[in-house]
Amino acid sequence: AVNHKLWPEIEKVTMQQLHYARLGVGGAGGWQLFAEDGDMRMYRREEEADGLVVDPLKACHVVKGVTAREVCQIFFSPEYRSGWETTLEDMTIAETISNDTLVFLQTHKRIWPASQRDALFWSHIRSVPDDQDPDASDLWIVCNHSTEHPQYPPNSNKCVRVYLTVCIVCQTFVDPPKDPNKISRDDITCKITYCSVVNPGGWAPASVLRAVYKREYPKFLKRFTSFCIEQCKDKPILF
Ligand SMILES: O=S(=O)(CCO)c1ccc(-c2ccc(C3CCCC3)c([C@H]3C[C@H]3c3ccccn3)c2)cc1
């Protein structure tokens, strides 16, 4: 994939998103907590781009019984997506760049009163050593970033094209630390940071979009993490 024309962008955006995900939500970042559910905390910043709501979102969650690699592989893999992405109406793999990089075209269910949306984005999965704690386990990241494709020009179907940058960054913790082949799923937790910026592409009332975000994002993350637990519970642990 390193010789693919998108590779420099994939590399840059993925590492930028990793850095952005690891920034805290305290301080002057302007993050406001807007949803809480158990260990899940959801923050947003109110931002508009030429009159459109593009509120950046950052969610932090801690999930027991799954590893960072398992969560990221489920988020990345097309075959699982219909099981957790409830707003998905259709999904096509527009291009297979490599085994860790795909280009998706997704049509999302219409969310009244906004018109139906689609998203065309590359999706890249990778593991990176934790530069802040070398003897910690690797971080896993999936980054999704809107892209163009000659076969799928925007607004060619009935949908308004959204422009998004999304990342999910995960890290596994084993507690209590023990001999690797004695670890059970009860000993592992996965710390998840999910970040998204979605430009809705076409006009939609700010109040409507903010209500949709407030309703859809907590549901989305809860459903995704429950799906991961369900998928992994009877399988050998993938570190
Ligand atoms: O993390 S992913 O890459 C997972 C792969 O599917 C992802 C996540 C979210 C979206 C998306 C796309 C469109 C919308 C809006 C914009 C105007 C009308 C629809 C929203 C807003 C509404 C929020 C939302 C949040 C979560 C799920 C669905 N809906 C979100 C796309 C991809």
Side-chain angles (χ1 to χ4, degrees), residues 75 81 84-88 106 108-109 111 114-117 119 121 144 162 164 166-167 194-196 198-200 204 209 212-213 216-217 220:
F75 188 81
R81 197 154 300 171
W84 55 267
E85 214 343 342
T86 50
T87 66
L88 206 54
Q106 295 192 163
H108 285 256
K109 288 183 184 129
I111 299 185
S115 45
Q116 188 168 32
R117 256 71 182 177
F121 56 90
N144 294 346
V162 301
L164 58 85
V166 163
C167 75
Y194 173 88
C195 301
S196 91
V198 175
N199 181 318
L209 273 181
V212 169
Y213 282 31
E216 292 293 335
Y217 273 114
F220 164 85

Side-chain angles (χ1 to χ4, degrees), residues 28 35 40 64 90 97 100 113 115 200 220:
M40 184 180 75
K64 277 195 77 58
D90 189 39
I97 294 179
D100 63 10
S115 45
F220 164 85

Side-chain angles (χ1 to χ4, degrees), residues 118-146:
D118 69 4
L120 180 70
F121 56 90
W122 52 256
S123 183
H124 175 60
I125 183 171
R126 79 163 67 173
S127 67
V128 288
D130 179 346
D131 54 11
Q132 279 154 8
D133 178 357
D135 42 3
S137 63
D138 276 9
L139 291 155
W140 281 80
I141 177 169
V142 178
C143 184
N144 294 346
H145 182 72
S146 286

